[in-house]
């Protein structure tokens, strides 16, 4: 196996923290009448307990399962509020013991309309990684490459968190049964590179917020995305750039020592289902199903296929519910 393919496993550094990220919400309109406006208006001090389950299958390997529980808390009031993730802990044994606890999660600073103003807490995690790289005696250039990848992955993952909870829905007005088409961005699983997408967002129906409830206070929103073929060439260039950056960071290779690579296949399809209260976007359930395929080719070597299927289900229980 070439050194490139031995290094590819470390792409999780840039990719496993992220799922599919998309554009911000406002950008579609719907007819009047039964059209439903979606607006971020979490009540002051809202605390939500979250239970998350992930199942991921890569190529022909056995599925990997992981479970997490954590708490979302909206802190502060006025012009800026912080959305804080805390008490994150696994609720099932890790697939491999060396995985350890999840890294600290940065906080999102939100404006009065729910807009993401900045991210706080990334420096702490980056500093920890820098100290670890230094303790291993790695060259300074390689240390810098590693910490840059960590910073980029954390920023990407935090922005995604805001997108799936707020950004992609806030400001939309949707008529049940009709879809809004728009352009978006997503992240290639495992590799962590960006790709342009075409999205279809729809409000399927009014539903109970929780199983067994009778009142239909929530809506079921669905966002489907796939790669925008007009941006495919740019997407493959970005993916190769990410692969080479990780190889340089992980193995200390110079540019001239990197193998010649081609992306011979790139596919990514995702469906996100969100059950939330439309007048506040207080979340109750999210389910994300993603299917991706990347095929990489080295000269004089068999192509390497990364076929990844994943499903994430998150259940949100607001305090007092």
């Amino acid at each position: 196996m070439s050194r490139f393919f031995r290094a590819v496993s470390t792409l999780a550094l840039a990719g496993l923290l992220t799922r599919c990220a998309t554009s911000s919400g406002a950008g579609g309109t719907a007819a009047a009448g039964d059209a439903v406006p979606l607006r971020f208006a979490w009540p002051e001090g809202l605390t939500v307990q979250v239970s998350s389950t992930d199942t991921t299958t890569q190529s022909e390997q056995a599925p990997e399962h992981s479970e997490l529980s954590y708490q979302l808390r909206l802190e502060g009031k006025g012009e800026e509020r912080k959305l804080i993730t805390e008490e994150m802990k696994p609720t099932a044994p890790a697939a491999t013991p060396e995985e350890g606890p999840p890294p600290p999660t940065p906080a999102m600073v939100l404006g009065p309309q729910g807009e993401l103003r900045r991210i706080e807490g990334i420096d702490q995690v980056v500093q920890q990684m820098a100290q670890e790289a230094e303790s291993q005696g790695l060259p300074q250039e390689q240390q810098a490459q590693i910490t840059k990848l960590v910073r980029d992955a954390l920023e990407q993952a935090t922005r995604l968190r805001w997108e799936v909870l707020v950004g992609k829905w806030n400001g939309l007005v949707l008529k049940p049964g009709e879809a809004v088409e728009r352009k978006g961005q997503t992240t290639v699983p495992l590799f962590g590179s960006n790709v342009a997408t075409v999205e279809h967002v729809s409000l399927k129906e009014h539903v109970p917020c929780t199983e067994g409830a009778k009142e239909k206070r929530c809506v079921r929103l669905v966002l489907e995305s796939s790669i925008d073929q007009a941006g495919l060439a740019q997407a493959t260039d970005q993916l190769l750039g990410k692969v080479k950056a990780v190889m340089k960071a992980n193995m200390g290779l110079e540019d001239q020592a990197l193998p010649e690579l081609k992306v011979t296949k790139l596919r990514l399809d995702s469906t996100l289902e969100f059950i939330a209260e439309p007048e506040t976007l207080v979340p109750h359930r999210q389910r994300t199903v993603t299917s991706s395929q990347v095929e990489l080719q080295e000269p004089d070597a068999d192509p390497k296929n990364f076929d990844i299927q994943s499903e994430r289900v998150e259940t949100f229980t607001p305090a007092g519910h």
Side-chain angles (χ1 to χ4, degrees), residues 58 71 150 187 202 295 314:
Q58 181 174 331
Q71 191 176 89
V150 173
T187 302
S202 58
E295 188 177 85
E314 291 188 298

Side-chain angles (χ1 to χ4, degrees), residues 71-88:
Q71 191 176 89
L72 285 174
R73 179 166 53 87
L74 190 64
E75 182 181 88
K77 56 185 177 180
E79 283 297 307
E80 288 190 345
R81 294 178 290 171
K82 287 185 181 180
L83 184 55
I84 298 171
T85 301
E86 53 191 1
E87 300 181 10
M88 180 174 281

Side-chain angles (χ1 to χ4, degrees), residues 156-170:
Q156 192 179 53
T158 306
R159 180 168 291 277
L160 161 69
R161 199 71 189 126
W162 173 76
E163 290 280 2
V164 298
L165 289 172
V166 182
K168 66 181 58 179
W169 320 107
N170 195 23

Side-chain angles (χ1 to χ4, degrees), residues 83-148:
L83 184 55
I84 298 171
T85 301
E86 53 191 1
E87 300 181 10
M88 180 174 281
K89 56 186 178 182
T91 55
T96 53
E98 63 270 18
E99 286 182 7
T105 304
M108 293 172 270
V109 179
L110 307 181
Q113 306 302 318
E115 65 273 22
L116 180 61
R117 289 194 167 176
R118 64 182 182 277
I119 300 169
E120 295 183 352
I122 288 180
D123 288 344
Q124 174 188 355
V125 182
V126 172
Q127 182 62 30
Q128 291 176 359
M129 182 61 70
Q131 291 173 352
E132 183 176 336
E134 185 178 7
S135 70
Q136 295 177 7
L138 299 178
Q140 287 192 347
E141 182 179 358
Q142 192 175 354
Q143 292 180 36
Q145 291 165 346
I146 290 172
T147 53
K148 182 181 185 304

